[in-house]
Amino acid sequence: MPDVRLVHRPDRGSPATREARTLASDVDVARSRLGQARGLMFRRSIPDDYALVFPFEEVGTRWLHMLFVPFAIDAIWIVDGEVTRVKRLAPFVGLGRGEADTVVELPAGAADGVAVGDEVGYRE
């Protein structure tokens, strides 16, 4: 399997100063309905450099819940590579929604510094 990385490029500053940084180097892509429905449920933890990416065919309202997820996460909603929302979700009770064609789940704290308007993407 090819190396997949999740990369963040801030929207602030000139193109020359907008240096990209890797948010995760261990990336899973949930393409199936089952994989997307299960998400991070029933896992005890995830590595610090991990991301779960949910790609969708079109832009729509995407809901996330933390039912059966015993650790906090950062969630990023993205449309055409541009961040539309970032939210920390609490274990078991967290809930979030946003417009997106891609949603990313990361360990809590991994999305610190990511803001609406920034670019976030992955390559397979």
Side-chain angles (χ1 to χ4, degrees):
M1 180 172 178
D3 189 29
V4 180
R5 292 190 178 284
L6 184 72
V7 177
H8 166 238
R9 184 179 303 276
D11 185 37
R12 299 163 294 284
S14 70
T17 62
R18 293 177 46 213
E19 190 169 320
R21 72 177 171 115
T22 300
L23 292 177
S25 56
D26 180 6
V27 178
D28 284 332
V29 180
R31 295 194 186 283
S32 71
R33 283 189 181 265
L34 177 61
Q36 290 179 350
R38 187 181 64 216
L40 296 174
M41 288 193 308
F42 309 113
R43 297 189 194 192
R44 293 179 188 258
S45 65
I46 54 177
D48 289 340
D49 65 341
Y50 180 81
L52 181 58
V53 176
F54 300 83
F56 298 97
E57 296 284 325
E58 58 191 34
V59 176
T61 300
R62 308 295 175 195
W63 285 88
L64 294 180
H65 66 81
M66 296 295 288
L67 189 63
F68 301 114
V69 181
F71 50 89
I73 66 166
D74 287 347
I76 304 173
W77 287 261
I78 303 165
V79 173
D80 294 330
E82 184 176 311
V83 175
T84 59
R85 182 154 196 232
V86 181
K87 184 176 181 183
R88 172 108 5 110
L89 299 177
F92 296 108
V93 297
L95 187 64
R97 80 177 161 103
E99 292 296 310
D101 59 18
T102 305
V103 176
V104 178
E105 296 179 344
L106 300 152
D112 288 352
V114 177
V116 171
D118 290 356
E119 295 174 27
V120 170
Y122 68 100
R123 271 194 280 193
E124 296 183 86

